[in-house]
Amino acid sequence: MLGEQASQRASLEARARSILESAGYERIETPAFEATELFARGVGESTDIVRKEMFTLQDQGGRSLTLRPEGTAPVCRAYVEHGMHKRRQPVKLWYLSSFFRHERAQAGRYRQFWQVGAESIGSEDPAVDAESIALLAALLAEAGVMGLRLRLSSLGSAHARGEYRERLQAHLRANEASLSHDVRSRIELNPLRAFDSDDADTQSVMRTAPLLLEHLDADDAEHFAQVRRLLDVAGVAYEIDPTLVRGLDYYTRTVFEFTSDELGAQSGVGGGGRYDGLIERLGGSPTPGMGWAAGIERIMLAGERSRIGASSEVAAHATVLAPVELFVALDGSREELRGAAFALLSEARSAGLSAQMDLGGRSLKGQLGHADALGARYVAIVGDEQTVLKDMQGGGQQTVAANTVVHAVLRSHHAL
Ligand code: HAM
C-alpha cells in the first residue's frame, strides 16, 4: 500500500470511526493469530475458508495457530473471554484490521487484505439487523462506492432449518450425477453451499431446488419481515435473493451482501448477517449476534477517488496530507550540509511544523521543483555559509542564521 492509498485507507477509517462510534460501537483489536480450533469451530469445518484458505502454523509448544481469516469468531471469543455478557447488551464493537486467506490472488482478492467490521452481540431485535445494515450502507455511500446493490435473505434459525436441509439434500441426491465434485462432497455437511457454485451444471440443478426462504418457520418469517420493514423506513434499498448463502457456517436468520458492478468477478464489497448460535458454539451461554465486514481494498477499488480521501471534514481531520509548511533543500552535496539540513528538519517537526526534505539526491533546481509540487509554503536552502529562506507564496527571500529558520517560519505563521 503506497502513499496515496494509505491516505485513502486512513480516510476510510476516519469515516468508519465517525459513523460507527456515533452509533455506539467501540473499537476492538484482537490478535493477528488465534488457536486454529477457534476458526475450525466458529467458521465451520465444511467451509472453503477452513478447508483450503487458512495460513496455519505450529508454535514451539506444538500448538496449532492460524492467521485470522475473518474477525467475527475472534470478536465472539473476546466477548466470552472478557465476560462481556455482564455489560449492557447489545455490546457493539467495530474493528479495522488485516486478515489472511490463502486464495488465488487477483484484482480485489489478496492473501492479506483489510476489513472494516462491526459486530453487535446480545440482542435478537430485528432493529439490530436493520441498524447494522444501514450503517454499512451509509459507510459505502460516503465512500462513494458506485454500482451498489444490496442482496438480502434469511436462512432461518438453526433448529428450524433441519427439515429444509433434508428436502434440499434429497433434491441434490436425486441430481447427484450433474453436480460438481465439490458440491457432491458437501451434500451431507453443507448442502446450502450448492447455491453458491459457479459450475454451470450445478447451477441448473439449483434452479429447481427448494428455497429456504419459502420454508421459514413463523418466528423466523416474522423476524425477516420486520427487518425488511425497518430497512424500508430507513430508505435502504435492497433486493430479496433467496439463493444468497454466505461462505461461513455461523449464519442464522438475516444474511446480506453488498456488491458493486464496478468490481468484476470479485463483486462482494461487504456482507454479513446474524450468527445467533456462534457464542454458544464457542463456549458462552446462548447469545445472539449480528454483524458485517467490508473489504477496504474493494471499497477503494469501487469508490470514487474524489470521495475517498477528498476534502470532506472527516477526511480532512484525520488523513489528508497536511500542507508542507517548510521544505528543507540543500545547496550542495557535502555530508555536513545533509546533517545540518536533517537537524533543521527535526527541529521543524518538533516545533509542530509539517516539514519535508529531499531524500532523492536531487539538484537544487530539482529540489525547488519538488517543493513547488508539494505546495510548500517556505523553502530553506541550507548552504555552506548561510541559509536562505524563500517564501514560495509571497515571493520574497531572506538570509537567516540556520538556527533561526524555524523561528522565522513560526513567526510568519502567527503574522498571517
Ligand atoms: P466475508 O464475506 O468472508 O465475511 O468477507 C467480508 C468482505 O471482506 C468481503 O465482502 C470482501 O470485500 C472482503 N474480502 C474477503 N476476502 C478477501 C480477499 N481475499 N481479498 C480482499 N478482500 C476480501 C466475513 O469475513 C464475515 N466475518 C463478515 C461478518 C461479520 N459476518 C458477521 N459479522
Side-chain angles (χ1 to χ4, degrees):
M1 181 155 295
L2 306 179
E4 190 194 349
Q5 292 165 312
S7 127
Q8 286 181 1
R9 188 177 73 200
S11 164
L12 263 180
E13 179 165 2
R15 281 163 200 264
R17 172 176 296 114
S18 153
I19 290 173
L20 294 170
E21 294 189 353
S22 341
Y25 284 77
E26 272 175 51
R27 182 74 184 246
I28 183 168
E29 302 266 359
T30 63
F33 55 80
E34 300 262 2
T36 302
E37 169 68 11
L38 172 67
F39 300 110
R41 215 197 268 208
V43 174
E45 298 275 9
S46 70
T47 59
D48 281 346
I49 292 181
V50 171
R51 295 205 321 184
K52 311 181 206 161
E53 295 171 2
M54 298 204 299
F55 286 100
T56 296
L57 52 112
Q58 226 178 42
D59 75 3
Q60 285 163 347
R63 285 173 292 253
S64 179
L65 301 173
T66 291
L67 290 176
R68 58 185 171 197
E70 65 98 49
T72 310
V75 167
C76 288
R77 180 205 42 75
Y79 178 95
V80 173
E81 203 168 305
H82 295 278
M84 291 192 218
H85 62 281
K86 293 188 211 118
R87 294 211 212 159
R88 190 144 36 97
Q89 308 291 302
V91 173
K92 292 171 157 188
L93 302 163
W94 79 280
Y95 48 90
L96 190 141
S97 322
S98 55
F99 294 88
F100 307 85
R101 294 184 192 176
H102 195 286
E103 299 192 83
R104 208 159 33 78
Q106 60 185 83
R109 186 160 78 183
Y110 312 102
R111 292 184 183 167
Q112 176 174 1
F113 57 97
W114 289 74
Q115 282 185 348
V116 53
E119 314 289 353
S120 175
I121 304 174
S123 164
E124 59 176 7
D125 189 330
V128 169
D129 307 43
E131 182 199 49
S132 164
I133 296 171
L135 287 170
L136 180 53
L139 176 61
L140 297 177
E142 269 219 23
V145 173
M146 295 175 290
L148 208 56
R149 285 172 54 201
L150 167 58
R151 295 187 298 142
L152 182 70
S153 192
S154 171
L155 298 179
S157 44
H159 62 270
R161 227 186 275 165
E163 194 200 329
Y164 167 77
R165 249 176 92 97
E166 283 169 23
R167 275 172 197 257
L168 179 60
Q169 282 168 330
H171 177 77
L172 293 173
R173 280 194 208 100
N175 294 282
E176 202 161 339
S178 313
L179 300 176
S180 72
H181 171 75
D182 213 33
V183 169
R184 226 179 303 146
S185 72
R186 281 193 252 202
I187 295 181
E188 290 312 317
L189 261 180
N190 198 347
L192 273 163
R193 294 287 301 155
F195 283 107
D196 242 6
S197 171
D198 45 21
D199 171 69
D201 292 340
T202 305
Q203 285 173 349
S204 90
V205 171
M206 297 318 287
R207 275 194 274 281
T208 55
L211 295 173
L212 179 45
L213 208 47
E214 288 163 10
H215 293 86
L216 295 182
D217 76 7
D219 283 353
D220 292 341
E222 178 53 24
H223 191 274
F224 189 48
Q226 287 194 39
V227 173
R228 292 193 322 260
R229 262 196 298 279
L230 291 167
L231 287 173
D232 292 339
V233 169
V236 177
Y238 55 84
E239 300 156 32
I240 302 294
D241 181 353
T243 68
L244 175 64
V245 286
R246 303 246 318 129
L248 304 99
D249 274 359
Y250 46 62
Y251 291 114
T252 53
R253 293 191 158 178
T254 312
V255 282
F256 68 98
E257 205 155 85
F258 283 92
T259 53
S260 163
D261 301 339
E262 296 291 304
L263 285 178
Q266 305 303 316
S267 65
V269 189
R274 267 204 172 271
Y275 43 88
D276 292 346
L278 180 55
I279 296 267
E280 194 178 1
R281 215 188 301 171
L282 299 180
S285 42
T287 309
M290 163 81 200
W292 49 257
I296 294 291
E297 290 85 354
R298 293 196 195 168
I299 296 178
M300 281 165 42
L301 280 171
E304 289 170 56
R305 283 156 56 91
S306 56
R307 296 280 289 278
I308 309 173
S311 57
S312 92
E313 266 168 51
V314 186
H317 108 164
T319 60
V320 169
L321 292 176
V324 175
E325 289 156 312
L326 177 66
F327 188 92
V328 182
L330 278 168
D331 185 10
S333 58
R334 290 200 325 280
E335 234 9 79
E336 62 270 28
L337 282 185
R338 268 189 94 68
F342 203 77
L344 175 55
L345 180 76
S346 311
E347 192 198 341
R349 287 181 174 163
S350 313
L353 290 175
S354 103
Q356 294 197 32
M357 74 179 271
D358 175 59
L359 298 170
R362 293 187 180 82
S363 67
L364 181 58
K365 190 160 170 257
Q367 293 175 62
L368 291 175
H370 186 196
D372 206 28
L374 288 170
R377 178 79 171 85
Y378 288 95
V379 177
I381 304 167
V382 179
D384 252 342
E385 319 266 76
Q386 56 189 26
T387 297
V388 173
L389 187 61
K390 265 172 90 69
D391 181 340
M392 300 291 277
Q393 280 157 36
Q397 70 175 52
Q398 52 182 315
T399 302
V400 294
N403 61 2
T404 62
V405 172
V406 170
H407 185 65
V409 173
L410 286 172
R411 203 176 43 221
S412 77
H413 243 328
H414 292 133
L416 286 176

